[in-house]
Amino acid sequence: MVDQVHDSRTSADDSMAEAALWLVSDDGRSALDRLCATLEVGNHPKDRQLALVTQLRRQGLSRDQAALLIDAATGRIRARERWPDADGWLFTREALEQASDPAVSAWRAERYAAASDIWDLCAGIGGDAAALARHAPVTAVESDHVRAILAQANLRRASHPVEVVVDDATQVRIPASAWVHADPGRRAGERRVRGLSGTSPGVDRLLQAHAHTAGMGIVVSPAVDWNDPVLRDLATPIRGGVEVEFVQVDSRLVEATLWLSALRHESTVASATLIVDGQIHHRRRRGDPATAPAGVLGTVLVDVAAAAVRARVHDTLAEEIGARRISSRRALLTCDELPPASPWYRREAVEWRGPVDRRRIRSWLSTVDPVPTELVVHGLDVDLALWWRDLRDVPRGPQGRRIHLVRTESASMAIATTPVSG
């Protein structure tokens, strides 16, 4: 159930908002279904977009209706790659880029299972609010009126009441007993923002506005700097500490979340979550990170999942499987015996070791069977286009041979490996 959109601003008469109201109507949805059926999957050239606008204008649509319809159709087609029920949702391309993977939203929402009142800030088109609403009533706050209208339509199937409010996430008044979820924008034009004060709105502003609430979870870039001033301030005892959770879906590191107050796992500093083939794997770190010793290259290379590396639990993994770092500067592990299979790392048999020299590597590759090959760089400034040009006819592709180009304390080395299955 979704209450009517409450707008605290004066944008209700905006022409794009009127176009959004048309899009969510039966006529708009029918037009969207027809347009999706005619578009090919993928990006479309600008001249094709202009032709579509002209075609839709001739059918009686306004310019804003035509533009939003094309945007929504393109968003839906792209969403089909990761949203199981994409055709039941209304998107824009920009809102889709900001929206979390549905599996991640569902996992994150589990933290709110004990909540009685949830506020979802920067709600976008409602993906997180839908997941949160399985646990408690939600107030979804979105500053953009068009997105709020789409969110209202998307959330009609929510299992708990959702009120959609158009307001500034830093100005809206939230009860002290509420649990807050926020997913601020992490783009400045075409550039991704990593700094916590550079998000839209800034994490520092969200904290200042809503630190009085019972608990907060704020989604941020997985590239967040552990030395970011905002994060360092949150980690102090006077602020109660923070848990930083890094989430990886299959091979993609997709996000981090700052968990505060009631939403933080007790004493946890960092955690890593893997969602692999729909299965959840989770590890926590409660104190300073361990440091595994560095040693010589063994017969096996262990490439740890990015979420575990970012959460700094990879050295604990090394201790568990009897591995060592390949270098004190690198997260790559190595051991002399094959460790047990695990979703937390990829096991690779070492085929060859040599200098980071294209001619030497090409010479060695000429002596082995050609298989799909990846170049993986660890701490080196490498022009991959130049490398691939010099390697000539080596086939490219994942899940086959890897050539790791690794910078160590004293020198650099190339390590060729093949995956160990199972």
Side-chain angles (χ1 to χ4, degrees), residues 294-297 301 324-334 353-356 377-381 404-415:
V296 298
L297 177 65
L301 200 65
R324 54 192 176 270
R325 287 194 185 204
I326 198 171
S327 161
S328 62
R329 296 180 178 179
R330 306 273 76 86
L332 275 175
L333 305 178
T334 186
R353 170 184 172 172
V356 179
V377 181
H378 305 268
L380 290 170
D381 185 11
H404 296 268
L405 308 176
V406 186
R407 180 183 180 184
T408 67
E409 291 87 349
S410 57
S412 298
M413 60 179 167
I415 308 168

Side-chain angles (χ1 to χ4, degrees), residues 43-175:
N43 295 320
H44 302 283
K46 186 175 181 179
D47 58 349
R48 175 75 183 279
Q49 299 278 8
L50 294 174
L52 283 173
V53 170
T54 301
Q55 179 183 343
L56 294 171
R57 291 295 306 279
R58 288 173 180 169
Q59 296 174 11
L61 301 187
S62 70
R63 183 174 296 278
D64 288 335
Q65 286 174 333
L68 185 57
L69 182 64
I70 294 170
D71 199 12
T74 306
R76 175 182 288 184
I77 290 169
R78 291 180 178 176
R80 288 171 179 166
E81 298 174 2
R82 59 188 178 98
W83 287 65
D85 56 346
D87 284 8
W89 283 74
L90 295 170
F91 304 90
T92 65
R93 286 170 293 181
E94 184 179 0
L96 177 63
E97 289 177 357
Q98 175 68 13
S100 299
D101 186 295
V104 177
S105 293
W107 164 253
R108 202 188 311 120
E110 290 298 319
R111 294 255 185 158
Y112 295 80
S116 58
D117 181 20
I118 303 173
W119 287 65
D120 180 29
L121 308 183
C122 315
I125 46 84
D128 287 322
L132 293 164
R134 299 188 186 107
H135 301 292
V138 173
T139 303
V141 180
E142 172 54 49
S143 62
D144 182 88
H145 195 78
V146 170
R147 290 188 185 182
I149 291 170
L150 301 186
Q152 181 191 30
N154 288 332
L155 291 166
R156 292 191 193 281
R157 297 171 295 171
S159 56
H160 284 77
V162 178
E163 179 184 5
V164 181
V165 177
V166 179
D167 207 340
D168 186 318
T170 62
Q171 299 297 320
V172 66
R173 301 183 68 175
I174 301 178

Side-chain angles (χ1 to χ4, degrees), residues 11 17 24 112 130 153 179 193-194 237 241 259 278 316 339 344 390 399 407:
S11 60
V24 303
Y112 295 80
W179 288 11
V193 174
R194 298 181 181 180
W259 296 111
T316 303
W344 288 104
D390 284 1
Q399 306 306 320
R407 180 183 180 184

Side-chain angles (χ1 to χ4, degrees), residues 370-384:
V371 296
T373 301
E374 293 179 281
L375 291 176
V376 186
V377 181
H378 305 268
L380 290 170
D381 185 11
V382 171
D383 184 342
L384 287 178

Side-chain angles (χ1 to χ4, degrees), residues 305-363:
V309 174
R310 291 294 289 124
R312 299 179 178 177
V313 298
H314 56 291
D315 287 304
T316 303
L317 277 165
E319 182 179 354
E320 292 173 3
I321 63 175
R324 54 192 176 270
R325 287 194 185 204
I326 198 171
S327 161
S328 62
R329 296 180 178 179
R330 306 273 76 86
L332 275 175
L333 305 178
T334 186
C335 49
D336 302 312
E337 295 183 2
L338 186 67
S342 169
W344 288 104
Y345 48 75
R346 167 177 158 137
R347 304 174 300 170
E348 304 175 15
V350 175
E351 291 185 287
W352 176 84
R353 170 184 172 172
V356 179
D357 181 280
R358 295 192 294 277
R359 292 182 181 178
R360 292 281 297 276
I361 295 172
R362 188 175 65 220
S363 176

Side-chain angles (χ1 to χ4, degrees), residues 9-28:
R9 308 180 312 169
T10 59
S11 60
D13 294 330
D14 179 86
S15 61
M16 284 302 295
E18 292 180 0
L21 289 170
W22 168 81
L23 181 64
V24 303
S25 70
D26 290 343
D27 287 345

Side-chain angles (χ1 to χ4, degrees), residues 3 11 70 113 130 189 212 221 273 276 282 302-303 311 323 351 358-359 402 404 411:
D3 296 337
S11 60
I70 294 170
H212 66 285
S221 166
T273 299
V276 181
H282 187 71
V302 181
D303 192 4
E351 291 185 287
R358 295 192 294 277
R359 292 182 181 178
R402 281 183 170 180
H404 296 268

